[in-house]
Amino acid sequence: MASSEVEILDDYLFKYKGYVFIRDEVQPEYIDSLENFEIRDSDVFLVTYPKSGTVWTQNIVTMLYESELPPAPPTSDTTFQRMPWLEYIQKDQDIINRPSPRLFASHLGHYLMPQGVKDKQIKVIYVSRNPKDVLVSYYHFAKIMAKLETPKDFDDMLDRFEEGRVICGSWFDHVCGWYNHRDDFNILFLTYEEMIKDLRAAVVKISQFLGKTLDAATIDHVVEKATFGNMKSDPRANYDFLPEDVMDKRQGAFLRKGTVGDWKNTFTVAQSERFDQIFREKMKGLPVQYSWDISEIKQA
Ligand code: A3P
């Protein structure tokens, strides 16, 4: 890796291959090595841009797999252990030599995925969320995460987001990249808003995509465990297990509001109009639509 390919963005982030990583957590050499990461046919990847419902879907997917196992006491494993990150190495965990099926979470762009994900047509679930809610969620997230610079104010956050000076870089590049290359992958697209609208339907969709035939009671159980309220009180699912030096819980919670349209409480009209214009230009022709307000979902 030529060091010139690395661009330091701030005290916490660096850009590499058009993508933005947390400086302390990832080495460019490791990202390079992922191209040849050995993929098994039964692997499953959940891919998202941050703040789009990753933990929510991680929880659902892992529960769908756990529900097939013989009855056992509920595991105390955290979300990171049940579905580890591909790009963030867990010091206490060997993510490669786990028994199949291996479940992985990733925020990577489509072009940084291991080649085997395409070659073997393994299952990828991609969840995206309307970017205004992503932005506001990230704004609060940046305040509680020790490894992210706290934005000066929301204007500053908006600039960073539009310029891609946030983890994973540009939201537009991420979402457009995955949708434009959809034919290269065996992929299920979901939106956060459709999960909010009908969680059960989303769980059934995920379960069918994963080739599971679960009875109605099992699906109901997964849905119940995946509600915002239940996840908020489930330490293994809500990131409360993260130490204080990683996440400062006094400044806020990881499971914050869990709704659609909270951006309206933060964006000014001018900021919203500016963002809409960029959204219209960049998302032209993409086969995805977002709901921007909870009332759209309730009325539908
Ligand atoms: P908010 O900050 O808007 O509340 P990610 O896991 O990708 O970082 O996404 C975090 C966002 O998903 C947070 O959004 C969080 O509250 C929301 N979320 C997590 N679990 C949820 C659930 N069960 N129902 C609804 N939203 C959920």
Side-chain angles (χ1 to χ4, degrees):
M1 186 268 311
S3 56
S4 58
E5 289 179 60
V6 173
E7 184 189 341
I8 303 297
L9 295 184
D10 60 26
D11 288 347
Y12 302 88
L13 301 177
F14 71 93
K15 192 169 188 175
Y16 181 60
K17 293 189 166 170
Y19 191 84
V20 177
F21 298 98
I22 302 176
R23 283 170 67 174
D24 277 0
E25 298 288 327
V26 188
Q27 301 300 322
E29 293 80 1
Y30 178 67
I31 298 302
D32 288 343
S33 77
L34 290 178
E35 185 171 0
N36 299 315
F37 187 90
E38 204 168 313
I39 293 296
R40 298 182 196 155
D41 292 338
S42 56
D43 289 344
V44 174
F45 276 74
L46 166 66
V47 183
T48 60
Y49 187 88
K51 314 321 294 170
S52 303
T54 324
V55 174
W56 193 7
T57 320
Q58 269 177 304
N59 197 26
I60 292 169
V61 172
T62 52
M63 282 194 289
L64 288 172
Y65 277 92
E66 285 164 9
S67 63
E68 289 181 327
L69 301 172
T75 169
S76 58
D77 287 352
T78 65
T79 316
F80 282 180
Q81 291 162 326
R82 293 150 72 215
M83 190 186 233
W85 290 91
L86 177 68
E87 60 269 30
Y88 296 110
I89 305 170
Q90 292 288 295
K91 289 163 197 77
D92 59 343
Q93 198 181 15
D94 178 359
I95 64 163
I96 298 173
N97 295 311
R98 286 179 295 146
S100 298
R102 298 180 306 183
L103 309 177
F104 292 101
S106 177
H107 283 323
L108 291 177
H110 70 96
Y111 61 95
L112 293 172
M113 279 282 123
Q115 184 60 31
V117 175
K118 284 189 205 175
D119 292 347
K120 296 197 166 192
Q121 286 291 295
I122 63 135
K123 293 187 167 96
V124 178
I125 299 168
Y126 186 83
V127 182
S128 65
R129 181 183 192 186
N130 91 55
K132 288 180 178 171
D133 279 330
V134 168
L135 211 169
V136 169
S137 181
Y138 190 105
Y139 178 50
H140 293 282
F141 178 65
K143 293 180 191 171
I144 62 173
M145 295 306 283
K147 291 185 179 174
L148 288 178
E149 197 163 290
T150 303
K152 283 198 280 295
D153 51 31
F154 188 67
D155 243 333
D156 179 31
M157 182 70 238
L158 194 54
D159 288 342
R160 286 167 191 255
F161 194 83
E162 286 175 1
E163 292 160 16
R165 286 186 289 117
V166 288
I167 317 171
C168 301
S170 157
W171 179 90
F172 295 100
D173 289 351
H174 202 278
V175 174
C176 295
W178 275 99
Y179 271 97
N180 284 329
H181 288 83
R182 59 192 176 278
D183 293 340
D184 297 342
F185 297 92
N186 176 9
I187 190 163
L188 171 71
F189 286 104
L190 284 171
T191 64
Y192 177 93
E193 293 76 22
E194 73 176 283
M195 291 170 68
I196 290 281
K197 181 176 175 183
D198 189 342
L199 180 55
R200 194 174 200 286
V203 170
V204 168
K205 213 184 225 186
I206 295 170
S207 160
Q208 285 172 347
F209 177 69
L210 296 175
K212 313 222 155 291
T213 43
L214 300 172
D215 58 31
T218 307
I219 296 283
D220 288 343
H221 175 74
V222 171
V223 172
E224 177 64 16
K225 290 266 187 194
T227 60
F228 185 80
N230 282 340
M231 280 184 58
K232 206 163 164 66
S233 56
D234 179 357
R236 71 175 193 154
N238 63 17
Y239 277 28
D240 269 3
F241 56 83
L242 289 174
E244 280 295 318
D245 60 343
V246 175
M247 190 173 92
D248 185 352
K249 287 159 221 147
R250 290 165 307 181
Q251 306 299 326
F254 188 93
L255 263 76
R256 196 182 53 93
K257 288 206 174 166
T259 189
V260 178
D262 182 48
W263 63 270
K264 292 184 176 176
N265 296 316
T266 309
F267 275 70
T268 63
V269 172
Q271 287 168 336
S272 175
E273 285 175 357
R274 177 177 120 191
F275 195 89
D276 288 346
Q277 194 178 341
I278 300 170
F279 183 88
R280 275 193 299 275
E281 283 163 17
K282 300 224 178 193
M283 301 295 285
K284 210 179 277 172
L286 277 201
V288 56
Q289 289 208 317
Y290 298 104
S291 302
W292 302 90
D293 192 88
I294 194 73
S295 62
E296 290 174 33
I297 289 174
K298 281 189 177 154
Q299 279 164 14

Short mmCIF file of all heavy atoms in Angstrom, two decimals, residues 84-109:
data_model
loop_
_atom_site.label_atom_id
_atom_site.label_comp_id
_atom_site.label_asym_id
_atom_site.label_seq_id
_atom_site.Cartn_x
_atom_site.Cartn_y
_atom_site.Cartn_z
N PRO A 84 -19.98 -10.39 13.74
CA PRO A 84 -18.84 -9.46 13.81
C PRO A 84 -18.66 -8.63 12.55
O PRO A 84 -19.15 -8.98 11.48
CB PRO A 84 -17.64 -10.40 14.01
CG PRO A 84 -18.10 -11.75 13.65
CD PRO A 84 -19.60 -11.80 13.71
N TRP A 85 -17.93 -7.54 12.73
CA TRP A 85 -17.63 -6.65 11.61
C TRP A 85 -16.52 -7.24 10.77
O TRP A 85 -15.55 -7.75 11.29
CB TRP A 85 -17.21 -5.28 12.13
CG TRP A 85 -18.36 -4.57 12.72
CD1 TRP A 85 -18.75 -4.61 14.02
CD2 TRP A 85 -19.33 -3.78 12.03
NE1 TRP A 85 -19.91 -3.87 14.18
CE2 TRP A 85 -20.27 -3.36 12.97
CE3 TRP A 85 -19.48 -3.39 10.69
CZ2 TRP A 85 -21.36 -2.56 12.64
CZ3 TRP A 85 -20.56 -2.60 10.35
CH2 TRP A 85 -21.49 -2.19 11.32
N LEU A 86 -16.69 -7.15 9.48
CA LEU A 86 -15.64 -7.63 8.57
C LEU A 86 -14.41 -6.73 8.67
O LEU A 86 -13.28 -7.21 8.74
CB LEU A 86 -16.17 -7.61 7.13
CG LEU A 86 -15.18 -8.01 6.06
CD1 LEU A 86 -14.81 -9.49 6.18
CD2 LEU A 86 -15.73 -7.73 4.66
N GLU A 87 -14.63 -5.42 8.69
CA GLU A 87 -13.49 -4.50 8.55
C GLU A 87 -12.89 -4.07 9.89
O GLU A 87 -11.83 -3.49 9.91
CB GLU A 87 -13.87 -3.28 7.72
CG GLU A 87 -15.01 -2.42 8.25
CD GLU A 87 -16.38 -2.84 7.72
OE1 GLU A 87 -16.56 -4.04 7.44
OE2 GLU A 87 -17.27 -1.97 7.61
N TYR A 88 -13.61 -4.31 10.99
CA TYR A 88 -13.05 -3.96 12.30
C TYR A 88 -12.69 -5.24 13.03
O TYR A 88 -13.56 -5.98 13.46
CB TYR A 88 -14.07 -3.15 13.11
CG TYR A 88 -14.40 -1.82 12.47
CD1 TYR A 88 -15.64 -1.58 11.90
CD2 TYR A 88 -13.42 -0.83 12.40
CE1 TYR A 88 -15.92 -0.37 11.28
CE2 TYR A 88 -13.70 0.38 11.77
CZ TYR A 88 -14.94 0.60 11.22
OH TYR A 88 -15.21 1.79 10.61
N ILE A 89 -11.40 -5.49 13.18
CA ILE A 89 -10.97 -6.74 13.79
C ILE A 89 -11.24 -6.69 15.29
O ILE A 89 -10.84 -5.73 15.96
CB ILE A 89 -9.46 -6.97 13.56
CG1 ILE A 89 -9.13 -6.92 12.08
CG2 ILE A 89 -9.03 -8.30 14.16
CD1 ILE A 89 -7.66 -6.90 11.79
N GLN A 90 -11.90 -7.72 15.79
CA GLN A 90 -12.11 -7.83 17.23
C GLN A 90 -10.93 -8.56 17.82
O GLN A 90 -10.66 -9.70 17.44
CB GLN A 90 -13.38 -8.63 17.50
CG GLN A 90 -14.65 -7.93 17.09
CD GLN A 90 -14.95 -6.79 18.03
OE1 GLN A 90 -15.22 -7.01 19.20
NE2 GLN A 90 -14.90 -5.58 17.53
N LYS A 91 -10.24 -7.90 18.75
CA LYS A 91 -9.01 -8.50 19.27
C LYS A 91 -9.27 -9.85 19.93
O LYS A 91 -8.44 -10.74 19.91
CB LYS A 91 -8.32 -7.54 20.24
CG LYS A 91 -7.73 -6.35 19.50
CD LYS A 91 -7.42 -5.17 20.42
CE LYS A 91 -7.23 -3.89 19.62
NZ LYS A 91 -8.51 -3.29 19.18
N ASP A 92 -10.46 -9.99 20.52
CA ASP A 92 -10.74 -11.22 21.26
C ASP A 92 -11.45 -12.26 20.39
O ASP A 92 -11.96 -13.23 20.88
CB ASP A 92 -11.62 -10.90 22.47
CG ASP A 92 -12.94 -10.26 22.05
OD1 ASP A 92 -13.02 -9.79 20.90
OD2 ASP A 92 -13.87 -10.26 22.87
N GLN A 93 -11.48 -12.07 19.09
CA GLN A 93 -12.30 -12.97 18.29
C GLN A 93 -11.66 -13.32 16.96
O GLN A 93 -11.14 -12.45 16.26
CB GLN A 93 -13.65 -12.29 18.03
CG GLN A 93 -14.71 -13.27 17.61
CD GLN A 93 -16.01 -12.58 17.34
OE1 GLN A 93 -16.05 -11.36 17.21
NE2 GLN A 93 -17.07 -13.33 17.24
N ASP A 94 -11.71 -14.59 16.63
CA ASP A 94 -11.23 -15.05 15.34
C ASP A 94 -12.43 -15.08 14.38
O ASP A 94 -13.25 -15.99 14.44
CB ASP A 94 -10.63 -16.45 15.52
CG ASP A 94 -10.15 -17.04 14.21
OD1 ASP A 94 -10.30 -16.36 13.17
OD2 ASP A 94 -9.63 -18.16 14.23
N ILE A 95 -12.54 -14.07 13.53
CA ILE A 95 -13.76 -13.99 12.71
C ILE A 95 -13.73 -14.98 11.54
O ILE A 95 -14.75 -15.27 10.95
CB ILE A 95 -14.04 -12.56 12.18
CG1 ILE A 95 -12.95 -12.07 11.22
CG2 ILE A 95 -14.28 -11.58 13.30
CD1 ILE A 95 -13.39 -10.88 10.39
N ILE A 96 -12.55 -15.49 11.24
CA ILE A 96 -12.44 -16.38 10.07
C ILE A 96 -12.85 -17.81 10.41
O ILE A 96 -13.66 -18.41 9.72
CB ILE A 96 -11.00 -16.37 9.51
CG1 ILE A 96 -10.65 -14.96 9.05
CG2 ILE A 96 -10.86 -17.36 8.36
CD1 ILE A 96 -9.21 -14.79 8.62
N ASN A 97 -12.29 -18.33 11.49
CA ASN A 97 -12.46 -19.76 11.76
C ASN A 97 -13.70 -20.09 12.59
O ASN A 97 -13.69 -21.02 13.38
CB ASN A 97 -11.20 -20.29 12.47
CG ASN A 97 -10.01 -20.18 11.54
OD1 ASN A 97 -10.07 -20.61 10.38
ND2 ASN A 97 -8.94 -19.58 12.01
N ARG A 98 -14.74 -19.33 12.40
CA ARG A 98 -15.99 -19.64 13.11
C ARG A 98 -16.73 -20.73 12.36
O ARG A 98 -16.56 -20.88 11.14
CB ARG A 98 -16.89 -18.39 13.16
CG ARG A 98 -16.43 -17.35 14.15
CD ARG A 98 -17.35 -16.16 14.11
NE ARG A 98 -17.30 -15.48 12.83
CZ ARG A 98 -18.33 -14.88 12.25
NH1 ARG A 98 -19.51 -14.87 12.84
NH2 ARG A 98 -18.19 -14.26 11.10
N PRO A 99 -17.57 -21.50 13.08
CA PRO A 99 -18.36 -22.49 12.35
C PRO A 99 -19.34 -21.81 11.40
O PRO A 99 -19.76 -20.67 11.65
CB PRO A 99 -19.11 -23.25 13.47
CG PRO A 99 -18.96 -22.42 14.69
CD PRO A 99 -17.80 -21.50 14.53
N SER A 100 -19.71 -22.50 10.35
CA SER A 100 -20.72 -21.96 9.42
C SER A 100 -22.10 -22.11 10.05
O SER A 100 -22.31 -23.02 10.84
CB SER A 100 -20.69 -22.75 8.11
OG SER A 100 -19.42 -22.60 7.50
N PRO A 101 -23.05 -21.31 9.69
CA PRO A 101 -22.93 -20.16 8.79
C PRO A 101 -22.32 -18.95 9.51
O PRO A 101 -22.71 -18.64 10.64
CB PRO A 101 -24.39 -19.89 8.41
CG PRO A 101 -25.18 -20.35 9.59
CD PRO A 101 -24.43 -21.50 10.17
N ARG A 102 -21.36 -18.34 8.85
CA ARG A 102 -20.75 -17.14 9.44
C ARG A 102 -21.56 -15.92 9.01
O ARG A 102 -21.86 -15.73 7.83
CB ARG A 102 -19.31 -16.99 8.94
CG ARG A 102 -18.38 -18.12 9.31
CD ARG A 102 -16.98 -17.87 8.78
NE ARG A 102 -16.95 -17.62 7.36
CZ ARG A 102 -15.84 -17.42 6.64
NH1 ARG A 102 -14.67 -17.45 7.24
NH2 ARG A 102 -15.90 -17.19 5.34
N LEU A 103 -21.91 -15.11 9.99
CA LEU A 103 -22.65 -13.87 9.71
C LEU A 103 -21.68 -12.70 9.87
O LEU A 103 -20.95 -12.65 10.87
CB LEU A 103 -23.82 -13.72 10.68
CG LEU A 103 -24.74 -14.94 10.82
CD1 LEU A 103 -25.81 -14.68 11.88
CD2 LEU A 103 -25.39 -15.28 9.48
N PHE A 104 -21.68 -11.80 8.91
CA PHE A 104 -20.79 -10.64 8.98
C PHE A 104 -21.60 -9.36 8.82
O PHE A 104 -22.53 -9.31 8.01
CB PHE A 104 -19.77 -10.65 7.83
CG PHE A 104 -18.76 -11.75 7.92
CD1 PHE A 104 -18.90 -12.89 7.14
CD2 PHE A 104 -17.67 -11.65 8.77
CE1 PHE A 104 -17.97 -13.91 7.21
CE2 PHE A 104 -16.73 -12.66 8.84
CZ PHE A 104 -16.88 -13.80 8.06
N ALA A 105 -21.17 -8.33 9.53
CA ALA A 105 -21.69 -6.98 9.27
C ALA A 105 -20.59 -6.18 8.60
O ALA A 105 -19.40 -6.44 8.84
CB ALA A 105 -22.09 -6.32 10.58
N SER A 106 -20.98 -5.25 7.76
CA SER A 106 -19.97 -4.41 7.11
C SER A 106 -20.60 -3.09 6.70
O SER A 106 -21.78 -3.02 6.36
CB SER A 106 -19.42 -5.12 5.87
OG SER A 106 -18.50 -4.26 5.23
N HIS A 107 -19.76 -2.05 6.75
CA HIS A 107 -20.18 -0.75 6.19
C HIS A 107 -19.46 -0.50 4.86
O HIS A 107 -19.55 0.60 4.32
CB HIS A 107 -19.79 0.39 7.14
CG HIS A 107 -20.66 0.54 8.35
ND1 HIS A 107 -22.02 0.35 8.35
CD2 HIS A 107 -20.36 0.93 9.62
CE1 HIS A 107 -22.51 0.59 9.56
NE2 HIS A 107 -21.53 0.94 10.34
N LEU A 108 -18.75 -1.47 4.36
CA LEU A 108 -17.90 -1.20 3.19
C LEU A 108 -18.70 -0.90 1.92
O LEU A 108 -19.81 -1.40 1.74
CB LEU A 108 -16.99 -2.40 2.92
CG LEU A 108 -15.88 -2.65 3.94
CD1 LEU A 108 -15.09 -3.90 3.58
CD2 LEU A 108 -14.94 -1.45 4.07
N GLY A 109 -18.07 -0.12 1.05
CA GLY A 109 -18.64 0.10 -0.27
C GLY A 109 -18.57 -1.19 -1.08
O GLY A 109 -17.76 -2.08 -0.77
#
